[in-house]
Amino acid sequence: MALPFAASSDFAIDKDAGRPCPNLQDDFRCGIHRDLRSRGFTGCTVYDCFGAGQKVSQLTFGGEDWRRSPQLARQMFDVFPLVRQLHELLWYLDEAAALPTSGPIRTDLRAARAATDRLSNGDAGALARLDVAAHRQQINTLLLHASELARATVPGRRKDRRGADLVGAKLRRANLRGASLRGALLVAADLREADLRRADLIGADLRDADLRGADLTGSLFLVQSQLDSARGDGRTRLPATVTTPKHW
């Protein structure tokens, strides 16, 4: 209901924000959930709100929903993407704090996590006033430090491809161990049998990237939705924070 999408390789139809998807049922379930990929809704299978939808409906608005309380709909939809960003940050902060190399900044990471959690639990008015971009920048500084500490354990020169345009890049068997691929565009990149151990993948776009046989052991800040948007096989080695997508 809240988010828009456009007809593309990810979605079969156009849908405006604030308009219910035609596949949404009266019980709020998806009518084609088991067949999303075959029906042209791959984008739905790779989206993750990090629990923000549950937080907004159950906590921020006390169990109300836009059908029973249509007067709250606009406010709900405005608050939802803000809470989603905060919940994504919570995910990254948890991973960063758990890294064995994060000892020097673990106290700061835990404090940042507690502060972010408090913000996410605010009421609708407080959330609407929140400068999420500024808070995200503060957290990003910590996450970058955690990444540098973790990747410093990788011997040799480590590649820095932050924000790089690597769409369709031929990177088969590439040595990207300990590389920074933060925000890199790796759409449809050939990463077969690439070494991505300890690589920082926060925000990297892996849609249709070929990860067959790649080694992502210990890769940093890889979330399930990134992996779900890529291609892989039984030989692809993954960090413990994610699971092998069912469609591989």
Side-chain angles (χ1 to χ4, degrees):
M1 176 67 173
L3 302 177
F5 49 75
S8 62
S9 59
D10 293 322
F11 297 101
I13 60 174
D14 292 319
K15 188 192 83 68
D16 296 330
R19 180 167 64 88
C21 174
N23 299 309
L24 182 66
Q25 300 181 137
D26 291 340
D27 61 358
F28 293 103
R29 293 176 180 270
C30 173
I32 61 168
H33 183 71
R34 294 183 178 180
D35 305 308
L36 284 167
R37 287 183 173 273
S38 62
R39 298 281 291 270
F41 288 87
T42 302
C44 295
T45 69
V46 302
Y47 178 75
D48 189 349
C49 75
F50 296 95
Q54 292 90 329
K55 171 70 74 63
V56 170
S57 61
Q58 296 172 18
L59 179 65
T60 313
F61 289 92
E64 294 292 340
D65 64 67
W66 52 267
R67 279 182 171 145
R68 288 185 302 173
S69 304
Q71 73 279 7
L72 296 176
R74 184 69 272 160
Q75 194 176 22
M76 285 182 175
F77 302 156
D78 288 343
V79 163
F80 168 67
L82 303 177
V83 177
R84 187 215 176 266
Q85 290 186 65
L86 294 172
H87 273 220
E88 183 181 17
L89 292 176
L90 290 173
W91 179 280
Y92 292 142
L93 286 164
D94 281 340
E95 180 175 337
L99 293 171
T101 51
S102 290
I105 60 170
R106 188 165 287 117
T107 299
D108 292 335
L109 288 166
R110 287 173 175 166
R113 198 230 184 262
T116 303
D117 188 45
R118 284 195 298 271
L119 291 174
S120 75
N121 290 325
D123 61 30
L127 287 163
R129 294 189 298 271
L130 179 64
D131 187 345
V132 175
H135 183 71
R136 193 180 190 99
Q137 184 56 45
Q138 293 175 1
I139 300 301
N140 187 58
T141 300
L142 269 178
L143 296 177
L144 182 57
H145 194 176
S147 171
E148 291 169 345
L149 289 170
R151 293 184 297 108
T153 62
V154 177
R157 186 176 180 180
R158 297 176 298 278
K159 295 181 174 65
D160 186 353
R161 304 308 304 273
R162 285 179 289 182
D165 185 350
L166 299 170
V167 174
K170 300 183 184 303
L171 296 168
R172 186 173 187 179
R173 300 194 181 95
N175 180 11
L176 295 168
R177 188 179 180 188
S180 176
L181 293 165
R182 297 168 66 88
L185 299 176
L186 288 159
V187 179
D190 183 356
L191 289 163
R192 286 175 294 169
E193 301 170 49
D195 187 350
L196 289 157
R197 289 176 293 172
R198 225 50 175 174
D200 185 343
L201 293 167
I202 194 168
D205 192 339
L206 295 172
R207 284 177 296 166
D208 206 34
D210 193 342
L211 296 172
R212 288 176 293 173
D215 190 350
L216 291 91
T217 306
S219 59
L220 306 171
F221 307 124
L222 176 69
V223 298
Q224 190 66 45
S225 56
Q226 286 173 293
L227 206 57
D228 290 343
S229 70
R231 292 179 289 144
D233 60 16
R235 298 175 299 130
T236 307
R237 283 174 281 184
L238 303 173
T241 53
V242 293
T243 59
T244 301
K246 293 181 180 180
H247 66 278
W248 282 13

